[in-house]
Amino acid sequence: MIWRALLLAASAAVPGATAQENGGSQPTPVDRFEEEIQVLGELPGPPLWRVTRGDHVLWILGYPEWVPHDLLWQTDSVDHALAQSSEYLTSADVRITANPLKAPRLLKQFRRTQRIPDRGTLDDLLPEDLYQLFSETRLRYAPKRDALHEFRPSAAAKELFYSAARSGGLERGYTIHRAIEKGARKHNVKKVRTVLSERYKDSALLDSMEEMSAGAERTCLQARLQGLDAQLEAHKRLAAAWAVGDLASLRAHPGDPAAKACDPWQLAFDSEKLNEMESRRWDLWLENAERALSNNDSTFAVLPLRDLLRTDGPLSQLRERGYEVVEPDETPPEEQQG
């Protein structure tokens, strides 16, 4: 089939488009779009990893964290894999649960973790040059949010990045998830969630957020604010490479330079408990994946692209457990689609 893609000159920004099936509307160019080249041809669509044992298969779609809100991508291979599958595995999440009577206390504690203690402000905490950069960035991307001055540096970094991403036409990978959910309903594929539930009073997550290192938080804010426009463009280019199955570009992508500096697991004052929670979260997902591989002829799963590309990620752990993992560029396109 013929699929239309907009490719940019090297100096131009990469446009995006809404995840939709064939015949959708044309994408709208983003700001600073300088040159547009229209290409007609066969494009493979996003890469699918294939995990097998015997004649049972698990298809895994890795999704970028941020995508242009109008990203166009070829859904045929994904739809075909879903049509063959009995179950659809979501990525692993952590959920903090509480007795309904204690929910207000949980919400209050979470809000407290977002703000500077003792009614302090960023002006009090930050070096003058970093505070100036924060103020300029806030006025540019979140001019109505004066209260960000009261947020901890890591929380302010997160909120400013979200505001900048939205103003640049980016959204979280919900676009992709909506397309997957639609395909799963269409083919009557059972959705299986992987959720690590932590009781409010037993969880170390909120306590660790309250005890973050002040120096680590300043490092996070500085990493997020410096080169923010370049970070947004990198996310657009990653999404564009993902949409056309450009695995070489995905592997070569340096990632978000501020992601590690602002990772809650890195910021936590005591990361040991959080690392243990992270390990249990992945163990649950791997348990679901192994059960599905044992019981189903075909299963479909989605995971964050950054986790699939990690050398110590879930694919590595599946290999260690005796499963064959076939990279997308090791599989002929016609075999990927059935």
Side-chain angles (χ1 to χ4, degrees):
M1 63 166 288
I2 299 297
W3 189 78
R4 295 177 183 270
L6 291 174
L7 302 180
L8 300 180
S11 62
V14 176
T18 287
Q20 51 184 292
E21 298 188 7
N22 306 319
S25 59
Q26 292 300 306
T28 301
V30 297
D31 292 341
R32 297 194 305 280
F33 188 98
E34 297 175 1
E35 183 177 348
E36 180 178 298
I37 306 171
Q38 191 173 68
V39 178
L40 302 181
E42 296 285 346
L43 296 175
L48 288 172
W49 279 257
R50 189 177 64 171
V51 181
T52 62
R53 176 176 283 176
D55 56 359
H56 291 203
V57 60
L58 169 65
W59 296 100
I60 306 180
L61 173 70
Y63 60 90
E65 183 181 6
W66 292 91
V67 298
H69 68 79
D70 53 355
L71 179 71
L72 278 176
W73 54 283
Q74 171 62 268
T75 63
D76 283 3
S77 59
V78 168
D79 191 65
H80 189 84
L82 274 169
Q84 296 177 331
S85 298
S86 303
E87 292 182 336
Y88 150 48
L89 308 183
T90 66
S91 55
D93 293 320
V94 177
R95 180 180 300 161
I96 307 299
T97 61
N99 183 303
L101 296 177
K102 296 182 179 179
R105 184 187 304 174
L106 174 61
L107 180 60
K108 182 177 180 180
Q109 183 178 358
F110 175 74
R111 287 175 174 169
R112 188 170 65 243
T113 67
Q114 304 301 293
R115 295 184 179 269
I116 299 170
D118 302 322
R119 298 187 178 183
T121 67
L122 288 173
D123 193 11
D124 303 323
L125 293 182
L126 302 179
E128 184 177 350
D129 57 342
L130 182 54
Y131 182 74
Q132 180 67 25
L133 179 59
F134 161 78
S135 298
E136 293 171 355
T137 306
R138 186 194 68 80
L139 288 174
R140 181 180 178 188
Y141 291 114
K144 297 181 179 180
R145 301 195 61 184
D146 293 339
L148 285 183
H149 288 85
E150 303 169 4
F151 277 47
R152 303 173 69 121
S154 59
K158 176 181 176 181
E159 294 298 320
L160 276 177
F161 181 78
Y162 280 19
S163 294
R166 287 192 294 268
S167 69
L170 289 170
E171 64 180 359
R172 301 295 293 270
Y174 303 140
T175 295
I176 298 166
H177 286 278
R178 285 194 294 267
I180 302 302
E181 297 281 349
K182 180 180 177 181
R185 290 193 299 269
K186 173 184 174 183
H187 298 295
N188 197 29
V189 180
K190 179 183 178 182
K191 182 177 181 179
V192 179
R193 298 178 183 274
T194 298
V195 179
L196 173 63
S197 293
E198 287 272 308
R199 293 175 59 189
Y200 162 58
K201 66 177 183 179
D202 298 330
S203 176
L205 186 59
L206 292 178
D207 288 341
S208 293
M209 290 173 66
E210 285 192 286
E211 297 172 359
M212 290 178 183
S213 159
E217 286 203 78
R218 287 194 295 271
T219 298
C220 161
L221 180 61
Q222 186 163 5
R224 181 54 78 195
L225 296 181
Q226 290 181 337
L228 181 54
D229 288 339
Q231 295 172 34
L232 299 178
E233 290 302 319
H235 280 292
K236 293 175 185 177
R237 294 189 181 280
L238 180 67
W242 173 87
V244 298
D246 182 358
L247 200 62
S249 293
L250 296 182
R251 287 175 173 149
H253 193 274
D256 186 338
K260 184 175 183 180
C262 293
D263 185 343
W265 269 254
Q266 300 293 325
L267 288 169
F269 180 75
D270 180 6
S271 61
E272 183 176 347
K273 290 182 179 179
L274 293 187
N275 287 334
E276 186 267 338
M277 183 189 300
E278 175 78 346
S279 177
R280 285 190 291 124
R281 180 171 75 98
W282 279 114
D283 284 346
L284 282 177
W285 187 89
L286 289 165
E287 184 179 308
N288 268 339
E290 289 197 283
R291 177 199 54 76
L293 274 161
S294 176
N295 296 341
N296 305 330
D297 290 337
S298 180
T299 305
F300 189 86
V302 293
L303 287 175
L305 184 61
R306 65 178 182 275
D307 290 320
L308 283 180
L309 297 177
R310 281 169 41 203
T311 57
D312 62 344
L315 294 179
S316 173
Q317 295 183 57
L318 285 167
R319 288 188 179 98
E320 290 175 0
R321 297 182 184 206
Y323 296 93
E324 181 183 4
V325 178
V326 182
E327 300 286 332
D329 49 357
E330 296 174 358
T331 308
E334 64 272 15
E335 186 178 339
Q336 275 207 31
Q337 298 188 24

